[in-house]
Amino acid sequence: MGRKDGLVGLASNVDLPPPDISVANAIQYYGKVGFSALETVVLLGGHTVGVTHCSVIKDRLYNYKGTQSADPDLDAFYVFFLGNIICHNDPNAVDMFVFLDSPDSVLTVDNSYYKMLLAHKGILPIDNAIAFDPSTSGYVNDLANNNDYFLDLFGKTIVKMGLIGVLIGNQGEIRQVCSRTN
Ligand code: HEM
């Protein structure tokens, strides 16, 4: 069970989408590896756990698209909360982490991420974008309304993602220490 590790690990080989990727490009990005638009939205539900950092979202809090003010799509209380408590507008401040889901649910895999998006509390630009783009907002609504539906689809989609580029035969290895090759 599980996936084997590669024999080479280079930052230059890592292909990760940027946080401000457009919805159309995100759908295209996951489409290339076999996912539908719905599955792309379901995969982003991975943000039901984990964190980002102030450096990633500072523009949304303090200088959205060069306006010297916050992203008007971000809930005003959240802007106040994140700005005053966590992400200070000071280049010397420690780059604090910010929960991607609501603080009371960030340790639980559930559909609260989608509820946060609909409440204009999506943290990353792409999180917010999927909630209000006409091509994905219906999916976000459905997922926000039904936790069982989310859990079922999320499980299936994560398993499908685990089947991308599987190393077989003598490709790769099972590492003795996960941070380096054997
Ligand atoms: C368009 C697609 C995606 C974009 C643009 C994106 C972007 C990001 C960014 C910018 C961060 C924060 C990194 C940091 O500040 O250190 C993050 C964190 C995270 N992402 Fe995504 N992501 C995407 C898709 C996914 C998918 C498909 C999954 C899993 C199914 C996922 C799971 C996570 C998790 C768990 C974290 C938190 C990591 C931690 O706490 O250290 N993301 N993502």
Side-chain angles (χ1 to χ4, degrees), residues 79-95:
V79 171
F80 174 82
F81 169 73
L82 292 174
N84 284 282
I85 313 283
I86 305 175
C87 301
H88 299 289
N89 195 12
D90 168 1
N92 299 317
V94 178
D95 194 12

Side-chain angles (χ1 to χ4, degrees), residues 120-148:
H120 292 267
K121 293 175 181 170
I123 297 292
L124 301 175
I126 184 64
D127 296 326
N128 181 63
I130 57 168
F132 304 108
D133 189 287
S135 68
T136 48
S137 57
Y139 301 142
V140 170
N141 272 283
D142 292 346
L143 291 158
N145 284 332
N146 190 334
N147 192 41
D148 289 342

Side-chain angles (χ1 to χ4, degrees), residues 92-112:
N92 299 317
V94 178
D95 194 12
M96 294 289 284
F97 64 81
V98 178
F99 295 136
L100 291 168
D101 195 0
S102 66
D104 62 341
S105 171
V106 72
L107 296 177
T108 310
V109 175
D110 62 13
N111 67 341
S112 64

Side-chain angles (χ1 to χ4, degrees), residues 17-19 30 43-44 46-47 50-53 56 100 124 126 158 161:
Y30 285 102
L43 279 177
L44 273 158
H47 292 168
V51 298
T52 185
H53 295 83
V56 177
L100 291 168
L124 301 175
I126 184 64
I158 288 288
M161 190 164 70

Side-chain angles (χ1 to χ4, degrees), residues 46-59:
H47 292 168
T48 178
V49 294
V51 298
T52 185
H53 295 83
C54 292
S55 54
V56 177
I57 61 159
K58 257 193 163 167
D59 280 8

